[in-house]
Amino acid sequence: MLGTSRAGEIFTSRAIVYNKIGLVIVWFLLCVIHGSSGLQISASSSRRVGMVPHPMVQYAASSQEDQSSSNVTPNQEEEGLLYFRYVDDNVARSLQMTTFESSSHPLERELILIDLRTLRFQPSGLDDFVLRRCCPVPHDEAQPSMLTLTDLAELALYCDRALFPKNASKDQEEARSSRLPKWARGLIHLVEETDASNNEYGTNNTGGVAVATLVAMNFLESAIRRGVQQRTAGRAPLLKDMVEQLSDVPQSQKVVLRTLLLPNQGLNLRNLLWHGFLTALPRQWLSLVIILTLTIDHHHHHHDMTTDDNTDTNNDQDVQHDNLESILEFQRYEQKESSPLGDMLRHGRQLHMELQQNGAEKRRFMDTCQEVIPPSHQHLLHFAVNHCLDKPALFAAVVSTLLEHTLRILWCRANGFEEGSMDVARVGQYYVTLDGHGQRDRHHLLLSPYVDYPTKNELTLQLGGPTMAYLTDLFASSSGGPNIRATISHGMWDRSLIKELVQYMVPDEMTTTDAICTNSSHVPLMSVTHALLTALEMIACSALSSRDCGASSEAEVLKQYRPNFSYAATTINDVDRALQSLNELALLNAEQDNADEDSICPELYTPISVLENLHRSLFVGLSSSSGEWTVEQVFVEYHTNVALADCGAARTLLCEVAHALESAVVVLQQQQQQRGQQQQYGNTTWNLYSFLLLVTLAYLEDKEKQVPIKAVERSRMCLSTYSTFSKRNMDRAIKAARIYAQAKVIRPLIVQKDNQL
């Protein structure tokens, strides 16, 4: 019995060994198969993703009317660099998941990473994943820990498996969809709706995945902003600081956020997308961003994303939430007949209609734009025109990013930078950007007239004055412009983006309140679409110069633009408004009995001729509203803007004086039946406001050499008191004017004025 038992033990031990050897062989064969053909993880088909070098495909333009339907055929491997050619090589390999190696963790280990019921990270599972892989940044233990990019790619793969389970049934997909908020369902539907020709590696030729990930990055940043109790989009701290300030979030999640979002040792994915360096991505990165956002919102008890099932469709709240005040002001120009900006917006509106209705015009527009847009970004142009013309927030997101990189390529060529130097996002280096004045001392700006002063930006000469002025107003304005790319990329239009994503959802999930077209607060953004269509055409026409860019009348419209939202432009406009109102006030006063003329504060009276001469001397070569805006004026205005940037108080006073004068004219017209009160009000108002305008212009002329800043501040105080009380208590208003005229800081200015006269 003992011998039989021993033999049985030996047999059993050998069987176990043989079984283990067999398992090892099977595992090895599976790895070989996976390494050569990719791992099947798609939810709806047998498409493979990202486990092998990604054969990038080049966009092939079709001669057919709707080029979005043209098939993209895989090209040779050298063409595979097309979509990632503007990204650092190591980062590009990680983004394509070519460095990924199969995890040694059994499949059961994956399931504890993500709760498949809620589609959120399990804290203990993510902690275990990070701890097994994470280490401090080399040679700098004070730096926070980060994953390797390969580990981050593996984590993205696990997220994709959870969000798009292999061979999922329709019921399972519907169950998954029901667990997701609307914004996440919308992103998935955006990909599915635009992904008819998705290739087997997970990156589609239409750009749907890249666009969805671009928008998802906004929602992730918004979740982080909410996590640090920062409610105001666009005015939050730096992203790297907010990540560290997140409370109630496990350190493992911060490690993932650092690796995904931050530069140098991280992937810096948000900036690569929003600054136009990337135009295609495997779907795994979208899955990672969605699950990260869901997890962070859950930690801070935010169960929806700004607008979800309880969306408030009140128009006023929508406008306030989306910070559309500047867009509403922008839209008003579209109704102004004698306005260069209005002409540009109306041109874009007409172009918008033609693109929707006229196939020949659509082909002309596409062909013209593709002359200057790099091949790597042309599919985004088709995505925007074919899928987003009725979705202005998405259209702005896509077009802003492709415009930025198109201008970056043109900027590098015009200024003699070698290909692959300034047009590639390299680790540890700043790159030239469309906006970002806050860090202009660290990197170049595409629309600055100078590369590095005094070296001129040759792109200014290539594009010309009108195009430079128009692009600056749209993207890098200093005084009231829409600043489209920066505004949308920092979450200020998230509400509109979410509503547009709902349009990609299946019809039975749509409601009338979900539909964008039913919400009139969304209408102002259409003017942004019109503006961007005109911008695309202007860049192409300017870069192509002698090429045909449409009808000659349209070309003339594009040449008439002048700045609207620079410091110089708004200052000149305010002075013009003030002088016009003073002239109107003089006419109204002249119609009345002048017996008591100048009886109140006559020492403040300033002739309008003095103000007009000062105005002309301040803005030599800029104040004329006729003629084409020249390249020389671009440089003159730049230096004027630099000087005006340090005159914030004076510019504010000027705007307030212009507004107060316009109101005074209205009040005076309404007092036609009260002649005595009208005479007193009209004369005093003229005396005070003409002098306030003199103080402002004198300060702008030679900051603090003759006019101290305290005089500007004292003038603002007087204006506030006078304009408030003159409508209901004229005696109190007159008292404020008299006190102002006797102020210690004002008396020398009155004496100086009288001496000059």
Side-chain angles (χ1 to χ4, degrees), residues 16-251:
I16 292 173
V17 171
Y18 292 150
N19 285 338
K20 289 184 176 180
I21 293 174
L23 288 173
V24 170
I25 293 172
V26 170
W27 178 252
F28 175 77
L29 291 174
L30 286 174
C31 290
V32 172
I33 294 172
H34 289 166
S36 61
S37 62
L39 195 59
Q40 309 289 327
I41 65 172
S42 175
S44 58
S45 71
S46 61
R47 295 193 297 262
R48 296 172 293 174
V49 294
M51 309 299 291
V52 296
H54 202 302
M56 290 295 100
V57 291
Q58 185 170 11
Y59 189 86
S62 170
S63 60
Q64 300 177 4
E65 175 179 332
D66 186 358
Q67 295 186 4
S68 68
S69 63
S70 61
N71 292 324
V72 176
T73 58
N75 295 304
Q76 298 178 354
E77 187 168 348
E78 58 267 18
E79 294 174 338
L81 299 175
L82 178 67
Y83 294 126
F84 293 87
R85 64 177 297 183
Y86 299 109
V87 178
D88 185 90
D89 290 344
N90 291 331
V91 174
R93 283 193 291 270
S94 297
L95 287 169
Q96 298 173 74
M97 302 190 128
T98 59
T99 59
F100 181 87
E101 296 178 2
S102 297
S103 171
S104 59
H105 292 238
L107 183 62
E108 290 76 15
R109 297 293 297 170
E110 299 174 21
L111 300 181
I112 66 170
L113 271 172
I114 300 166
D115 186 334
L116 298 182
R117 294 173 298 115
T118 62
L119 294 174
R120 296 192 295 262
F121 282 119
Q122 289 276 40
S124 58
L126 189 61
D127 287 346
D128 181 65
F129 179 90
V130 169
L131 287 173
R132 287 173 177 269
R133 295 160 170 80
C134 194
C135 61
V137 175
H139 310 300
D140 191 355
E141 296 183 358
Q143 292 291 325
S145 299
M146 300 178 76
L147 294 169
T148 66
L149 299 187
T150 299
D151 291 334
L152 188 68
E154 182 180 1
L155 188 61
L157 175 63
Y158 293 157
C159 292
D160 198 67
R161 286 175 173 171
L163 203 55
F164 301 93
K166 181 180 179 181
N167 299 325
S169 66
K170 183 176 180 180
D171 290 341
Q172 290 173 324
E173 289 185 353
E174 290 178 352
R176 174 208 66 181
S177 181
S178 66
R179 295 193 295 269
L180 293 172
K182 281 186 178 179
W183 63 266
R185 299 202 303 271
L187 290 171
I188 292 172
H189 280 293
L190 181 151
V191 173
E192 294 172 347
E193 178 76 13
T194 61
D195 195 15
S197 55
N198 196 3
N199 65 44
E200 61 179 344
Y201 295 97
T203 301
N204 61 32
N205 61 318
T206 66
V209 171
V211 172
T213 311
L214 175 82
V215 175
M217 280 294 176
N218 259 31
F219 300 155
L220 176 58
E221 181 177 355
S222 295
I224 295 171
R225 186 169 55 248
R226 287 192 297 275
V228 297
Q229 304 300 312
Q230 180 69 37
R231 300 294 181 182
T232 307
R235 297 176 178 84
L238 293 176
L239 187 56
K240 65 177 182 179
D241 295 330
M242 288 195 293
V243 169
E244 301 307 321
Q245 294 169 13
L246 279 172
S247 59
D248 302 325
V249 171
Q251 286 298 318

Side-chain angles (χ1 to χ4, degrees), residues 306-307 310-325 495 499 519 521:
T306 305
T307 62
N310 298 320
T311 297
D312 187 342
T313 58
N314 180 277
N315 293 342
D316 293 336
Q317 290 190 14
D318 283 349
V319 172
Q320 183 178 11
H321 180 89
D322 272 348
N323 292 299
L324 296 180
E325 292 88 351
R495 193 182 186 100
K499 289 180 179 179
N519 194 326
S521 72

Side-chain angles (χ1 to χ4, degrees), residues 691-711:
F691 185 79
L692 293 177
L693 185 56
L694 175 66
V695 170
T696 305
L697 295 177
Y699 181 85
L700 294 177
E701 185 180 39
D702 58 0
K703 295 176 298 182
E704 295 214 41
K705 292 180 180 178
Q706 298 178 0
V707 181
I709 187 64
K710 288 188 177 297

